[in-house]
């Protein structure tokens, strides 16, 4: 028991320094592999114009529903086959990574900044602002996230700005709650009292003293949220009310393949594998990050 | 004592529900696009007079605030207005027709998730890092990383198309529909002693039910596992073992009962998410429930119908959480004080 406790303390003191965190993270083989997979997807999306063998919307009328290379009828011309319009699936999957990752990052950053900002203000000052916010948060928490996004997208139709707002509308609540709770605790901490005693301004205390201390759990949450957002975006796109149809997106591609599941299973299946791999990698990396940044949360 | 707790939670619900209805109503109404024009889109030539008449018919000529007031007042009495599609039928009657299908499928998925998740979580907790635990942990990770619509399609391809084991669309074989009593086909079939109908209805729910249940099963499994690991290390469990009680009693009675308390909340939360998954899975499997109704209504710009279904999902979600809090209070007296 005491050995476990001292081990935990040791971990905490290691994790208290940035190099220590990095070392813990790098020592976690699963997290490292997951991080590499995420980077690979990122590179694939960024370099899609150079890597993809075809334009994502280029239709090959003579090559409709060609099977992937390992199947009878498949070949090296279209490695992962083609869809019902004769578009190259590999190219479309590569381009599809762009919108998934871009939306994931934009939405997560937006919700992180808004949520953590409001949460810090509410936690630090309390008062009427905190009271009003807690009512708003209660209402939003009562709302199932995907149905909420669906309602917004139903009203606006597929478009990227609305999609970001729909996905972000409730997402900031989690960051708000974490930030508010942590600031509430930090407000009375010695280092904050000391800064106040030295005459530091309130913005300085919030941004330079408190923020760095409450950041690790927020970063972990942001990573794990990214996985949720990617799935939510794909789900909305699958329903035809997410990413506009002219932009290649994984969810849309699965929907495109639905009509052909009986004759050409790969059209709907392969883009879904891309979603699964990316989300899995993001989740595993997030869990590794959590273990490294906050050893107390270790299972 | 806990009656008062529940009453208080129910009263706290009122502002939440008002907020929810406010958001639903205004997202639907503040966006560009005139539903009347959408409705008349295919109708060819119409006069301005006819447009105005329709607008009056649906109450769209009044100020938005008045419309909202009417919407809330009517919704509270179960009146959601007239559907723009469905030949102008009352939204409430369209919804009532589809509700049992969704209820049945959701219940089925709920049971399926728990039937897999609880035993798996318990077994995994008995030997942390053992073979079963590792397998279950990987399975759970896949469960939460997989988009539900994709899992649905894969199940459909593997079990419905490549092997013709299970039906991939609809609710029941139309030749054996049982006489309607509850609207839940499995129950109606049992009530009328129709075995063929029962099997048909059940078989139609297996694939959509599995696809819906997967993420919930994964989350609940993880929660049961970690909760059990915590409880198994407690002194009273060690004491029960030391008394010489059989392991089955120690795990099943002393440990599991306590481990399930924190699980109640996550089950409620996940059941709420089950409802979100429901919309997508019903669409994938062409299952004629509320979820598919809502997605079709979105396509038809039938806002009253979308509003009603979204509100129903949101209210169920809220009530589930209150229910979980109440259950939690019953199981764990410490909660009631707060």
């Amino acid at each position: 028991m005491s050995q476990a406790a001292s081990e935990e303390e040791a971990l905490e003191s290691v994790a208290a320094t940035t190099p220590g965190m990095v070392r813990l993270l790098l020592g976690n083989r699963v997290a490292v592999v997951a991080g590499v997979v995420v980077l690979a997807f990122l590179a694939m999306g960024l370099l899609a114009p150079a890597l993809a063998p075809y334009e994502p919307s280029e239709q090959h009328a003579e090559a409709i529903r060609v099977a992937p290379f390992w199947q009878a009828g498949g070949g090296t011309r279209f490695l992962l086959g083609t869809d019902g319009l004769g578009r190259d699936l590999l190219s479309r999957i590569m381009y599809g990574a762009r919108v998934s990752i871009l939306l994931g990052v934009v939405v997560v950053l937006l919700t992180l900044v808004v949520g953590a900002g409001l949460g810090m203000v509410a936690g630090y000052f309390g008062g009427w602002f905190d009271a009003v916010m807690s009512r708003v948060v209660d209402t939003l928490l009562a709302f199932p996230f995907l149905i909420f996004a669906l309602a917004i997208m139903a009203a606006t139709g597929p478009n990227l700005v609305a999609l970001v707002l729909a996905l972000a509308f409730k997402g900031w609540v989690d960051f708000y709650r974490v930030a508010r709770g942590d600031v509430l605790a930090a407000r009375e901490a010695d280092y904050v009292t000391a800064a106040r005693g030295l005459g530091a301004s309130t913005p300085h205390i919030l941004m330079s003293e408190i923020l760095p201390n409450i950041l690790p759990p927020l970063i972990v949450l942001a990573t794990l949220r990214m996985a949720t957002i990617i799935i939510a975006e794909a789900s909305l796109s699958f329903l035809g009310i997410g990413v506009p149809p002219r932009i290649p997106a994984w969810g849309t591609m699965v929907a495109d393949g639905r009509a052909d599941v009986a004759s050409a299973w790969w059209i709907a299946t392969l883009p879904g594998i891309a979603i699964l791999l990316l989300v899995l990698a993001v989740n595993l990396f997030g869990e590794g990050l959590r273990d490294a940044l906050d050893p107390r949360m270790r299972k | 004592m806990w009656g008062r707790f529940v009453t208080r939670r129910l009263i706290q619900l009122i502002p939440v529900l008002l907020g929810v209805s406010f958001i639903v109503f205004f997202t639907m109404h503040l966006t560009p696009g005139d539903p009347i024009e959408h409705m008349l889109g295919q109708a060819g030539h119409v006069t301005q007079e006819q447009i105005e008449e329709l607008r009056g018919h649906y109450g769209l000529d009044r100020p938005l605030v008045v419309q909202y007031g009417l919407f809330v007042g009517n919704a509270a009495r179960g009146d959601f207005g007239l559907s723009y599609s469905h030949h102008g039928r009352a939204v409430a009657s369209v919804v009532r027709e589809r509700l049992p299908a969704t209820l049945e499928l959701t219940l089925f998925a709920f049971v399926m998730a728990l039937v897999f998740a609880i035993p798996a979580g318990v077994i995994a907790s008995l030997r942390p890092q053992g073979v079963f635990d590792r397998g279950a942990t990987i399975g759970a990770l896949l469960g939460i990383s997989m988009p539900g619509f994709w899992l649905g399609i894969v199940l459909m391809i593997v079990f419905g198309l490549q092997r013709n084991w299970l039906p991939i669309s609809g609710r029941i074989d139309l030749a054996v529909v049982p006489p309607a009593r509850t609207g839940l086909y499995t129950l109606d079939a049992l009530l009328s002693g129709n075995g063929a109908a029962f099997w048909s209805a059940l078989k139609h729910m297996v694939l959509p039910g599995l696809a819906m249940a997967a993420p919930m099963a994964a989350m609940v499994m993880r929660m049961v596992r970690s909760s059990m690991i915590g409880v198994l290390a407690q002194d009273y469990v060690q004491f029960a073992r030391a008394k010489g009680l059989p392991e089955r009693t120690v795990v099943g009675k002393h440990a599991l009962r306590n481990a399930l308390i924190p699980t109640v909340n996550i089950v409620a939360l996940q059941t709420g998410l089950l409802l979100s998954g429901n919309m997508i899975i019903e669409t994938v499997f062409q299952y004629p429930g509320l979820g598919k109704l809502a997605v079709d209504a979105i396509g038809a710009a039938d806002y009253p119908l979308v509003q009603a279904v979204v509100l129903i999902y949101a209210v169920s979600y809220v009530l589930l959480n209150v229910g979980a809090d109440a259950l939690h209070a019953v199981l764990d007296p410490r909660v009631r004080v707060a």
Side-chain angles (χ1 to χ4, degrees):
Chain A
M1 193 69 198
S2 67
Q3 195 194 340
S6 65
E7 197 177 304
E8 209 166 88
E9 274 167 33
L11 272 173
E12 262 185 66
S13 59
V14 172
T17 61
T18 308
M21 287 179 201
V22 174
R23 212 167 63 230
L24 273 180
L25 189 62
L26 290 181
N28 182 340
R29 218 175 309 151
V30 177
V32 171
V33 173
V36 170
V37 172
V38 175
L39 286 179
F41 269 100
L42 185 65
M44 186 173 93
L46 286 176
L47 303 176
L51 290 176
Y54 301 94
E55 280 294 305
S57 54
E58 192 180 336
Q59 301 182 7
H60 305 265
E62 77 295 351
I64 283 175
R65 287 186 274 274
V66 171
F69 71 89
W70 65 89
Q71 286 266 312
T76 49
R77 188 169 159 222
F78 302 103
L79 278 179
L80 297 184
T82 62
D83 68 7
L85 295 174
R87 295 175 296 193
D88 180 45
L89 278 179
L90 176 63
S91 307
R92 289 180 67 72
I93 289 175
M94 285 178 159
Y95 274 91
R98 304 184 128 198
V99 81
S100 270
I101 296 174
L102 181 72
L103 278 172
V105 170
V106 169
V107 170
V108 167
L109 282 181
L110 186 67
T111 50
L112 171 68
V113 170
V114 171
L118 291 173
M120 285 174 72
V121 171
Y124 195 79
F125 297 104
W128 65 266
F129 182 75
D130 189 26
V132 170
M133 286 304 293
S134 78
R135 291 263 67 110
V136 173
V137 163
D138 277 353
T139 307
L140 284 178
L141 276 180
F143 225 100
F145 162 69
L146 194 61
I147 290 172
F148 187 78
L150 202 91
I152 297 181
M153 294 313 293
T156 62
N159 96 56
L160 286 183
V161 177
L163 187 57
V164 167
L165 293 179
L167 293 173
F169 208 98
K170 191 188 166 189
W172 60 272
V173 170
D174 295 321
F175 294 104
Y176 171 89
R177 300 213 302 172
V178 170
R180 180 183 171 274
D182 284 356
V183 169
L184 220 49
R187 195 169 58 171
E188 309 302 331
D190 290 340
Y191 69 89
V192 173
T193 318
R196 220 179 276 133
L198 288 170
S201 67
T202 306
H204 176 86
I205 292 176
L206 277 174
M207 297 310 291
S208 307
E209 302 291 338
I210 294 183
L211 184 61
N213 280 289
I214 66 165
L215 207 50
L218 289 173
I219 291 175
V220 172
L221 184 59
T223 315
L224 294 173
R225 285 295 304 188
M226 174 111 177
T228 320
I229 296 295
I230 291 172
I231 289 194
E233 174 268 305
S235 304
L236 291 172
S237 299
F238 172 76
L239 292 177
I241 49 174
V243 175
R246 67 193 149 74
I247 303 173
W250 294 336
T252 322
M253 295 170 67
V254 175
D256 288 343
R258 263 181 75 198
D260 296 321
V261 281
S263 56
W265 57 267
W266 55 90
I267 304 175
T269 313
L270 297 179
I273 293 178
I275 306 176
L276 172 62
L277 281 179
L278 177 59
V279 172
L280 189 64
V282 170
N283 271 329
L284 284 170
F285 183 72
E287 288 184 7
L289 205 59
R290 181 186 60 202
D291 292 346
L293 291 183
D294 196 351
R296 281 163 303 176
M297 287 166 85
R298 265 164 183 261
K299 278 181 224 139
Chain B
M1 174 77 180
W2 67 273
R4 251 182 49 212
F5 172 83
V6 173
T7 317
R8 204 174 64 221
R9 290 290 278 119
L10 283 175
I11 291 172
Q12 282 171 357
L13 268 185
I14 295 170
V16 171
L17 290 181
L18 277 177
V20 165
S21 68
F22 183 84
I23 296 172
V24 172
F25 182 86
F26 283 95
T27 42
M28 291 289 151
H29 283 79
L30 287 181
T31 43
D34 183 348
I36 300 291
E37 272 166 27
H38 198 282
M39 214 185 306
L40 295 174
Q42 308 96 317
H45 181 73
V46 275
T47 62
Q48 194 59 33
E49 246 166 56
Q50 284 170 303
I51 292 179
E52 291 311 320
E53 192 190 312
L54 264 177
R55 201 158 276 165
H57 182 64
Y58 287 101
L60 293 168
D61 51 350
R62 311 214 204 165
L64 211 51
V65 182
V66 176
Q67 285 188 45
Y68 174 65
L70 286 173
F71 168 67
V72 171
N74 290 335
R77 284 183 277 116
D79 175 4
F80 292 99
L82 300 176
S83 157
Y84 297 165
S85 50
H86 297 270
H87 313 290
R89 280 175 60 197
V91 167
S93 104
V94 179
V95 165
R96 227 180 349 255
E97 205 173 270
R98 299 292 197 97
L99 187 64
T102 292
L103 211 60
E104 191 173 30
L105 180 61
T106 309
L107 270 173
F108 181 78
F110 176 83
V111 171
M112 223 157 30
L114 295 188
V115 163
F116 278 107
I118 295 178
V122 171
I123 298 172
S125 74
L126 297 179
R127 279 175 193 278
Q129 307 305 324
V131 179
F132 186 89
D133 183 34
R134 280 167 193 265
T137 304
I138 293 172
L141 209 60
L142 286 174
I144 57 168
S145 301
M146 222 182 267
F149 60 89
W150 180 76
L151 175 60
I153 288 176
V154 170
L155 289 173
M156 194 184 244
I157 292 173
V158 174
F159 297 106
L161 294 168
Q162 295 187 343
R163 293 167 198 76
N164 200 4
W165 289 352
L166 290 161
I168 56 169
S169 72
R171 251 187 105 183
I172 194 167
D173 183 349
L174 291 177
V176 294
V177 179
R181 285 191 212 170
T182 58
L184 307 180
Y185 281 170
T186 46
L187 199 59
D188 286 347
L190 287 179
L191 287 175
S192 59
N194 186 343
F198 179 77
W199 278 118
S200 174
L202 203 62
K203 269 170 32 191
H204 278 80
M205 288 194 294
V206 173
L207 295 182
L210 266 178
M212 254 172 91
M216 171 163 172
M219 294 303 287
V220 173
M221 193 298 275
R222 280 158 63 124
M223 187 69 203
V224 170
R225 173 189 175 276
S226 67
S227 176
M228 274 296 282
I229 290 177
V231 170
L232 285 172
Q234 296 283 321
D235 290 343
Y236 64 85
V237 172
Q238 302 295 342
F239 180 71
R241 277 202 183 114
K243 266 199 310 196
L245 289 178
E247 190 66 14
R248 178 194 292 265
T249 316
V250 175
V251 173
K253 239 174 152 177
H254 292 73
L256 184 59
R257 280 195 189 171
N258 287 294
L260 285 182
I261 294 175
T263 314
V264 169
N265 277 322
I266 207 140
V267 167
L269 195 70
Q270 288 297 320
T271 311
L273 298 178
L274 209 58
L275 296 176
S276 324
N278 172 272
M279 286 203 178
I280 289 158
I281 299 300
E282 284 189 3
T283 306
V284 171
F285 287 93
Q286 299 290 307
Y287 191 90
L290 275 188
K292 184 169 181 306
L293 184 70
V295 173
D296 291 344
I298 290 170
D302 188 347
Y303 296 144
L305 190 49
V306 179
Q307 260 171 28
V309 178
V310 170
L311 209 59
I312 290 171
Y313 276 103
V315 169
S316 330
Y317 185 80
V318 173
L319 288 178
L320 273 169
N321 282 311
V322 175
D325 283 354
L327 194 57
H328 203 166
V330 174
L331 296 174
D332 188 347
R334 283 169 301 181
V335 178
R336 275 173 248 166
V337 190

